[in-house]
């Protein structure tokens, strides 16, 4: 819940700055601005084709998606004590970024990601077996 609250505060400070009370408490104006951002993002998503221009709604959606991937990874790894499944959200984010990336360091970053996944899987299995 704290993480979700931090995400909301980050989004409202970035996209609805100056509409809150005491700097962080949302008002109806804050919610209206965020609703407008969602509406604009939906319209842009339906109308644009690859490659898309960087619009604020897409950046906000990317931040929310990255938070969701991190939450699902943490939930699967620490709460469910799964070994490989928590890697899937991070892998999805990695593939998404790879497709949209510049192409620089693609082999190096793939190798580093594969090593991190292997290290995570082995460490998690050993920890589960030990406990």
């Amino acid at each position: 819940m704290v993480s979700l609250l931090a995400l909301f505060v980050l989004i409202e400070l970035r996209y609805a700055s100056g509409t809150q009370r005491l700097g962080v408490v949302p008002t109806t104006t804050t919610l209206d601005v965020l609703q407008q951002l969602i509406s604009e993002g939906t319209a842009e998503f339906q109308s644009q084709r690859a490659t898309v221009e960087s619009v604020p709604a897409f950046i906000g959606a990317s931040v929310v998606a990255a938070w969701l991937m991190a939450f699902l990874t943490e939930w699967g790894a620490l709460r469910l004590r799964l070994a490989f499944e928590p890697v899937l959200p991070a892998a999805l984010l990695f593939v998404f970024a790879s497709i949209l990336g510049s192409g620089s360091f693609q082999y190096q970053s793939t190798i580093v990601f594969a090593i991190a996944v292997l290290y995570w899987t082995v460490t998690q299995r050993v920890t589960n077996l030990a406990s």
Side-chain angles (χ1 to χ4, degrees):
M1 292 306 290
V2 172
S3 176
L4 184 60
L5 179 64
L7 173 69
F8 182 76
V9 169
L10 175 75
I11 293 293
E12 76 172 349
L13 288 175
R14 173 66 175 94
Y15 296 104
S17 184
T19 62
Q20 310 91 336
R21 283 191 203 121
L22 303 174
V24 293
V25 179
T27 63
T28 56
T29 306
T30 305
L31 299 177
D32 290 341
V33 169
L34 294 178
Q35 179 62 37
Q36 179 67 25
L37 181 72
I38 292 169
S39 298
E40 289 173 3
T42 303
E44 287 287 332
F45 184 77
Q46 292 172 349
S47 67
Q48 287 196 21
R49 300 289 179 253
T51 56
V52 298
E53 53 185 84
S54 177
V55 295
F58 288 172
I59 296 170
S62 298
V63 169
V64 172
W67 176 87
L68 182 62
M69 295 300 166
F71 174 79
L72 291 174
T73 300
E74 187 272 339
W75 179 62
L78 300 179
R79 289 180 175 49
L80 299 179
R81 296 186 180 265
L82 300 173
F84 184 71
E85 292 83 354
V87 173
L88 297 177
L92 178 64
L93 190 60
F94 178 78
V95 169
F96 180 74
S98 297
I99 290 170
L100 298 178
S102 66
S104 302
F105 303 107
Q106 54 184 298
Y107 295 113
Q108 296 90 334
S109 59
T110 302
I111 290 169
V112 169
F113 184 75
I115 290 170
V117 167
L118 181 63
Y119 178 76
W120 161 256
T121 304
V122 169
T123 303
Q124 186 70 359
R125 287 189 191 242
V126 169
T127 302
N128 286 344
L129 288 174
S131 63

